[in-house]
Amino acid sequence: MSREIKFRAWEKETTEPFPWKGAEQDECILSIDNDGTIDAKSLDDVWGDHGEHSEWVDHDVEVEQFIGLQDKNGKGIYEGDIIRFTEEDTASFVGPVEYMADDDYPAFDIPDKYIPEGFYIESNVISNGVARGILEVIGNVHENPDLLEVKK
């Protein structure tokens, strides 16, 4: 089984999307060094004493991966998205998509601290929600951090 490998990037300081793909005015690049370090640069025009020239400007970005699944509306789900999981009885909760490798769980999922007591989910929350058509992307951790509320 194969899936599309895609990424998006956000400027850490401004929480704005980094336009590394499809930038119209500035040329932008995102590269991964051999040690896993991610470099983001944009080619910005600079006005100097002798006219205009261009120079590369470094950007501090956070890179997030497409997890290979879509929500009930067909929107691609990325690491850092905030999703709403709504059961048929309208009980719901909201949580961020995270890669859980640090918890010895190498998968994209919602951390337990966002799942209220009383919800019993047998497997991966995201896969379960996508399979049942009850998962919706409602924002992301950069633009909508106010949507996150720990329920426990």
Side-chain angles (χ1 to χ4, degrees):
M1 181 177 172
S2 66
R3 68 176 176 91
E4 187 175 13
I5 305 296
K6 300 190 295 186
F7 297 91
R8 67 181 183 192
W10 294 85
E11 293 265 5
K12 287 183 180 178
E13 187 175 311
T14 65
T15 67
E16 294 290 322
F18 180 70
W20 65 279
K21 183 177 180 183
E24 294 177 10
Q25 296 178 353
D26 296 336
E27 184 175 340
C28 301
I29 60 170
L30 196 62
S31 63
I32 301 175
D33 294 337
N34 289 338
D35 65 358
T37 304
I38 297 172
D39 291 322
K41 297 181 184 298
S42 66
L43 189 61
D44 292 338
D45 292 330
V46 178
W47 290 92
D49 293 338
H50 304 289
E52 182 179 3
H53 71 280
S54 297
E55 68 181 38
W56 287 103
V57 176
D58 289 323
H59 296 267
D60 190 15
V61 298
E62 183 172 346
V63 177
E64 298 166 335
Q65 185 175 355
F66 172 61
I67 70 168
L69 298 172
Q70 297 178 343
D71 74 355
K72 69 180 187 177
N73 300 314
K75 184 173 183 173
I77 303 171
Y78 282 81
E79 182 179 10
D81 278 343
I82 299 172
I83 60 173
R84 178 179 291 122
F85 184 100
T86 306
E87 286 285 359
E88 294 162 4
D89 64 359
T90 69
S92 69
F93 63 89
V94 170
V97 176
E98 294 181 7
Y99 187 64
M100 310 289 282
D102 290 342
D103 298 329
D104 294 327
Y105 175 44
F108 291 102
D109 209 349
I110 297 175
D112 288 341
K113 69 181 183 180
Y114 293 95
I115 302 171
E117 288 186 33
F119 272 90
Y120 176 73
I121 300 167
E122 294 180 15
S123 62
N124 182 292
V125 174
I126 294 173
S127 295
N128 184 294
V130 167
R132 294 169 53 204
I134 58 175
L135 197 72
E136 180 179 21
V137 175
I138 60 170
N140 64 65
V141 297
H142 308 285
E143 297 174 310
N144 316 101
D146 54 311
L147 293 175
L148 292 177
E149 182 179 317
V150 177
K151 300 287 186 187
K152 285 188 174 181

